[in-house]
Amino acid sequence: MPTIDSLIPERGAPDTAALHAHDPDALARYVLDVRNPWWRRRVCVQALAGRVPEARVLALLGRIQDDEETGEVRIALLDLLADRAELLPWLRHDARSEQSSYGMGDAILKARGLLGDRAAARELATLGFSPWWRRQQLAEAGLMGLVERYGAEAIVADLGEDRPEDRAFAVWMRYRGGGDVTPYLADPDQGVAYAAHELATDADRLRAHVDEASTVEAAVWAVLALHRITEDLENTRTLDEHLGRPRVEVHGLDEELRRAIVHEYGPGCERSSDPRWRLEALCTEPPARPDVTEQTARAFAVLAAAGVAPKPPVSCGEHERQGDGTYYVIECDGEDVLVSTLGRFVMSHDHDHTARLPLEEAGFRWIDGETADIEVTDLDVYYFGSRRFRDVDTLLFYWQD
């Protein structure tokens, strides 16, 4: 019989079929031996699904409760043993809120939900309202554990609707019960309204809601939900015109900048964004994007002719040695000139750089400090772990590792 080490090689995928056929007691003993590599032990835990040796349960529960154990192994064991009611007192202890292992706190909340701990509902709802998909999935599992045990109405009542995350859960439960979620399109929290528009399925109800909505934003969410269902762009544009082409006005943001930004970020903006940005992206024609190779070569030639000793252009990802974004970098006498891929925009963080005049004379648009600082409000964009609105500088010259 092959060894566990051979079935979980250091390089390459583990032989999951062979592991699931392997002696479960041998797998459990391998997990319990902390001298074995944690990443192999975690795979062994996963291979024990549905066949945990009863004689090893107490010791495996001990691994979960040992703060010195590797977090990934503890989390895998929590998934494996989530039906063990004897674990609940430990899970509910106040000390569990002080867990420092990455992901352990979320896994504990999920396990509490699966074991029927209604006191975990509020924290699970908050976790489910997270923008991170993995955290949403953990919360969903825990909340559904509660719903299956007590019923949706009981958990919705436990939570109430004071917090946005509680209302988002209520939307989800109403949808699962076949109810009408369109009233939530007018929720003051855009994240809740976004969830409602994602779940709305009644096209006739949405058409009616366009005119019945109590706010412009609610009407726009209805149009967006209808577009998601029908994919009828002509009708979406007709409804946009019917609503008066609602837009988020941003002082100082001219049409050239606006079109470049809205078509780059509007379609995939964060759920907390004003829905009018999404509708504008659908209902306006995108600007012509430059040929990046031609544009950067032309900028380089202009700078070379101006005598500022430019180095060859490189992408922002290459310049930063990782990631990607929306600009190229041309280093000139130790100062970088940035060339956007979203249009004819160029800038330097030395706003008085000698490159400005020759580039402007060649048809480029120099983004000065005042323009760079314009905040494009209510268009929330992910940037280094934060989701909020950004300034023109960040949006035209965006880099993410």
Side-chain angles (χ1 to χ4, degrees), residues 314-329 383-384 398-401:
V314 296
S315 70
C316 57
E318 183 179 349
H319 179 74
E320 301 287 351
R321 295 185 176 84
Q322 60 184 335
D324 199 7
T326 65
Y327 65 95
Y328 276 67
V329 179
Y383 187 63
F384 287 95
Y398 181 93
W399 171 73
Q400 183 69 52
D401 65 8

Side-chain angles (χ1 to χ4, degrees), residues 167-248:
R167 298 195 297 276
F169 178 74
V171 172
W172 180 30
M173 290 300 100
R174 183 174 291 192
Y175 166 76
R176 289 182 75 250
D180 179 17
V181 301
T182 53
Y184 286 97
L185 296 173
D187 195 278
D189 186 278
Q190 299 292 11
V192 177
Y194 175 87
H197 115 280
E198 283 279 277
L199 296 173
T201 56
D202 187 332
D204 291 337
R205 182 75 189 90
L206 287 166
R207 290 187 187 97
H209 196 74
V210 172
D211 291 321
E212 295 171 0
S214 59
T215 66
V216 172
E217 290 87 351
V220 171
W221 281 122
V223 173
L224 291 170
L226 192 60
H227 180 82
R228 177 181 54 79
I229 295 169
T230 66
E231 298 184 347
D232 186 343
L233 184 56
E234 183 178 351
N235 182 64
T236 300
R237 291 180 171 179
T238 298
L239 290 173
D240 177 54
E241 188 170 355
H242 171 69
L243 292 175
R245 295 179 179 171
R247 307 200 319 177
V248 178

Side-chain angles (χ1 to χ4, degrees), residues 94-365:
D94 289 344
R96 301 294 81 75
S97 63
E98 301 172 3
Q99 293 293 314
S100 59
S101 297
Y102 175 75
M104 191 64 187
D106 296 348
I108 286 173
L109 275 177
K110 172 188 169 183
R112 287 175 63 188
L114 291 173
L115 286 169
D117 181 9
R118 289 172 76 164
R122 285 180 62 83
E123 291 176 273
L124 282 167
T126 299
L127 188 67
F129 204 54
S130 164
W132 299 104
W133 180 84
R134 180 179 175 278
R135 304 192 83 191
Q136 293 172 20
Q137 296 302 301
L138 290 171
E140 179 178 336
L143 286 165
M144 290 311 299
L146 295 174
V147 167
E148 289 169 9
R149 190 173 298 231
Y150 304 108
E153 289 186 9
I155 304 306
V156 168
D158 284 352
L159 290 171
E161 293 201 359
D162 289 341
R163 305 181 306 162
E165 53 263 56
D166 301 331
R167 298 195 297 276
F169 178 74
V171 172
W172 180 30
M173 290 300 100
R174 183 174 291 192
Y175 166 76
R176 289 182 75 250
D180 179 17
V181 301
T182 53
Y184 286 97
L185 296 173
D187 195 278
D189 186 278
Q190 299 292 11
V192 177
Y194 175 87
H197 115 280
E198 283 279 277
L199 296 173
T201 56
D202 187 332
D204 291 337
R205 182 75 189 90
L206 287 166
R207 290 187 187 97
H209 196 74
V210 172
D211 291 321
E212 295 171 0
S214 59
T215 66
V216 172
E217 290 87 351
V220 171
W221 281 122
V223 173
L224 291 170
L226 192 60
H227 180 82
R228 177 181 54 79
I229 295 169
T230 66
E231 298 184 347
D232 186 343
L233 184 56
E234 183 178 351
N235 182 64
T236 300
R237 291 180 171 179
T238 298
L239 290 173
D240 177 54
E241 188 170 355
H242 171 69
L243 292 175
R245 295 179 179 171
R247 307 200 319 177
V248 178
E249 296 302 332
V250 179
H251 179 72
L253 190 70
D254 61 47
E255 287 304 308
E256 183 182 26
L257 291 170
R258 187 180 187 103
R259 287 178 67 207
I261 289 169
V262 76
H263 285 281
E264 176 68 13
Y265 300 101
C269 61
E270 295 294 320
R271 65 187 184 187
S272 52
S273 300
D274 190 298
R276 290 175 287 181
W277 287 113
R278 298 176 188 272
L279 188 59
E280 185 176 341
L282 284 170
C283 296
T284 58
E285 294 300 320
R289 291 289 170 85
D291 179 309
V292 173
T293 302
E294 185 277 332
Q295 176 162 275
T296 53
R298 187 160 61 90
F300 176 80
V302 169
L303 295 170
V308 293
K311 292 184 178 180
V314 296
S315 70
C316 57
E318 183 179 349
H319 179 74
E320 301 287 351
R321 295 185 176 84
Q322 60 184 335
D324 199 7
T326 65
Y327 65 95
Y328 276 67
V329 179
I330 302 176
E331 185 180 332
C332 303
D333 291 334
E335 185 67 39
D336 295 338
V337 170
L338 313 183
V339 182
S340 178
T341 62
L342 303 187
R344 62 190 184 103
F345 315 112
V346 293
M347 73 168 291
S348 171
H349 290 109
D350 173 5
H351 294 295
D352 297 322
H353 197 289
T354 54
R356 176 174 183 169
L357 182 59
L359 286 169
E360 287 181 329
E361 289 177 342
F364 288 94
R365 178 174 175 179

Side-chain angles (χ1 to χ4, degrees), residues 43-95:
V43 175
C44 289
V45 172
Q46 295 163 346
L48 281 169
R51 57 196 193 109
V52 181
E54 190 63 30
R56 303 293 179 186
V57 168
L58 188 60
L60 292 170
L61 291 173
R63 291 288 85 221
I64 294 174
Q65 298 173 37
D66 186 351
D67 290 341
E68 299 300 316
E69 176 61 273
T70 303
E72 287 84 349
V73 175
R74 298 173 78 193
I75 290 169
L77 284 167
L78 269 175
D79 279 338
L80 180 70
L81 301 171
D83 60 341
R84 307 300 300 206
E86 61 265 44
L87 190 58
L88 189 53
W90 179 84
L91 292 170
R92 297 187 65 178
H93 194 279
D94 289 344

